[in-house]
Amino acid sequence: MGEIDEGLERAERTRPIPVHLNTRVRFLWEKVAKEDTRLLARAAGVSVRTAQRWARSLADLAEGELTGDIPMSKANAVKVERAVRAAWQPRVKRRVRRDAEQRGFMLHIQATFGYSAAGGSTDDPRPRIITHKMPGSVAQRLYEARDAGATQAQQEKILAEALRDEYFKDSGRRARGLDVELNDIAWMDMEL
């Protein structure tokens, strides 16, 4: 997951996802799978037998027979985290996305930008810290790209074009021949 995906996800949540593996599995078991091992297996992308072992481990935890985390491979722990992220606060995600696509969002970014412009200007990459209100059309493009499985580079290209048009060119009022390239993101955050 790249910085842009993480920024969108952070903005969509009012509460962070559970930290502990046991709590994540319990969330999937109770809220997503409704205590059905087949649904748990489908949600986490594991076999039904694995989901049955997890359900038994949850019961053992509740009875005090198991201490510590549910035994699971690192690959399955990653699957559980992905499933929880996908199912966490669905109504909040929909509301935030709708608001961002309608009203835009505030972008906070520190990155290195490369430029190409008219003769006599420099094209050396420069680090910048930018805080700028981006329009809803940019949020819509970023969400559509994320939904389509776009790579970090493709999302950076969308963000660079949006920053070029909205920030550097001031919505077409200056720097007509300027082209902007987003080279390196040090940190980024979005307020939706």
Side-chain angles (χ1 to χ4, degrees), residues 108-119:
H108 307 279
I109 188 168
Q110 179 179 357
T112 303
F113 293 91
Y115 309 94
S116 62

Side-chain angles (χ1 to χ4, degrees), residues 14-188:
T14 57
R15 292 181 302 154
I17 68 168
V19 175
H20 298 288
L21 184 60
N22 295 351
T23 313
R24 291 175 179 178
V25 174
R26 183 170 305 286
F27 169 76
L28 290 176
W29 176 244
E30 293 174 355
K31 303 293 184 187
V32 176
K34 307 291 188 209
E35 299 188 6
D36 182 343
T37 53
R38 291 190 193 287
L39 292 176
L40 177 61
R42 189 177 311 136
V46 297
S47 69
V48 174
R49 180 66 191 120
T50 299
Q52 290 169 345
R53 281 195 300 270
W54 293 351
R56 181 66 199 146
S57 294
L58 285 172
D60 290 346
L61 278 169
E63 295 169 8
E65 296 174 17
L66 177 67
T67 58
D69 284 336
I70 295 172
M72 145 179 344
S73 70
K74 288 183 181 180
N76 283 346
V78 170
K79 289 179 183 179
V80 166
E81 181 180 354
R82 277 194 207 125
V84 170
R85 284 186 190 282
W88 192 250
Q89 295 184 317
R91 290 187 305 224
V92 172
K93 284 182 184 179
R94 284 192 299 272
R95 185 190 73 229
V96 167
R97 180 175 179 163
R98 182 188 65 236
D99 290 348
E101 289 177 345
Q102 289 176 354
R103 294 192 291 250
F105 63 97
M106 186 63 74
L107 175 68
H108 307 279
I109 188 168
Q110 179 179 357
T112 303
F113 293 91
Y115 309 94
S116 62
S121 65
T122 179
D123 60 354
D124 291 338
R126 298 177 215 162
R128 286 187 181 249
I129 298 174
I130 297 173
T131 297
H132 192 73
K133 175 83 168 151
M134 302 301 284
S137 60
V138 176
Q140 186 174 12
R141 288 178 60 202
L142 286 172
Y143 276 117
E144 287 171 356
R146 185 183 73 174
D147 293 346
T151 65
Q152 175 71 15
Q154 292 168 326
Q155 292 176 349
E156 285 177 3
K157 186 172 177 11
I158 293 169
L159 199 55
E161 290 171 359
L163 282 167
R164 177 196 65 205
D165 295 340
E166 296 298 322
Y167 179 78
F168 293 104
K169 288 187 169 186
D170 196 17
S171 299
R173 289 189 279 275
R174 60 187 169 98
R176 284 197 170 78
L178 181 70
D179 195 22
V180 176
E181 181 179 307
L182 186 56
N183 294 328
D184 182 36
I185 298 176
W187 57 265
M188 187 190 84

